[in-house]
């Protein structure tokens, strides 16, 4: 059974920083994979924040470029999201996801995923 577990998050003031961590545990067989962070703000749909593939390729939503940075460890099946210069608009539940299958960054949007339970990030003005 595969589990995706997030940690980190919390409450900060605008301009502050947070780090989110994600780890895949269990019998996860895909060495060529993708992992990503998504978020859902109250009353809005879920959106992709950033994603990384095991070949080193990454992508970021325009709203977080220059502020958020990913760090993926393929050996440990982890994905950290470093969030700097946070804005109130970043307030959301953040979810980590891992591809349920072999993946490259170009197809990550459409592949089946394992999802974590989510972690709350709140940014106050």
């Amino acid at each position: 059974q595969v589990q995706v577990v997030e940690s980190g998050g919390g409450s900060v003031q605008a301009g502050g920083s947070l780090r989110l961590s994600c780890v895949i545990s269990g019998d996860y067989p895909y060495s060529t994979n993708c992992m990503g962070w998504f978020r859902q703000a109250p009353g809005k749909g879920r959106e992709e924040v950033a994603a990384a593939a095991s070949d080193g390729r990454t992508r970021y939503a325009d709203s977080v470029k220059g502020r958020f940075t990913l760090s993926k460890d393929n050996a440990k099946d982890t994905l950290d999201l470093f969030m700097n210069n946070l804005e109130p608009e970043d307030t959301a539940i953040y979810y980590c996801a891992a591809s349920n299958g072999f993946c490259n960054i170009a197809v990550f949007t459409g592949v089946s995923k394992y999802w974590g339970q989510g972690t709350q990030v709140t940014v106050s003005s």
Side-chain angles (χ1 to χ4, degrees):
Q1 184 177 359
V2 174
Q3 286 189 312
V4 176
V5 181
E6 305 108 334
S7 60
S11 297
V12 295
Q13 290 190 324
S17 299
L18 285 172
R19 172 184 176 180
L20 303 182
S21 296
C22 174
V23 61
I24 307 171
S25 64
D27 187 15
Y28 185 71
Y30 308 112
S31 58
T32 303
N33 60 54
C34 304
M35 297 178 70
W37 284 97
F38 297 75
R39 67 186 180 187
Q40 186 165 16
K44 295 187 177 181
R46 187 170 56 194
E47 63 172 349
E48 181 182 305
V49 175
S54 53
D55 64 1
R57 297 190 180 190
T58 59
R59 66 186 186 197
Y60 296 87
D62 288 342
S63 59
V64 306
K65 283 180 181 177
R67 300 188 298 122
F68 291 11
T69 303
L70 285 171
S71 177
K72 190 178 189 293
D73 187 324
N74 291 328
K76 297 180 179 179
D77 284 334
T78 62
L79 183 69
D80 289 347
L81 180 66
F82 297 89
M83 304 185 293
N84 298 314
N85 194 21
L86 282 160
E87 303 169 351
E89 292 75 22
D90 296 316
T91 295
I93 300 175
Y94 283 69
Y95 299 90
C96 181
S99 59
N100 181 7
F102 296 103
C103 176
N104 61 64
I105 203 68
V107 302
F108 184 50
T109 299
V111 300
S112 174
K113 301 176 181 64
Y114 296 102
W115 292 93
Q117 292 299 308
T119 185
Q120 178 70 46
V121 171
T122 302
V123 184
S124 58
S125 57

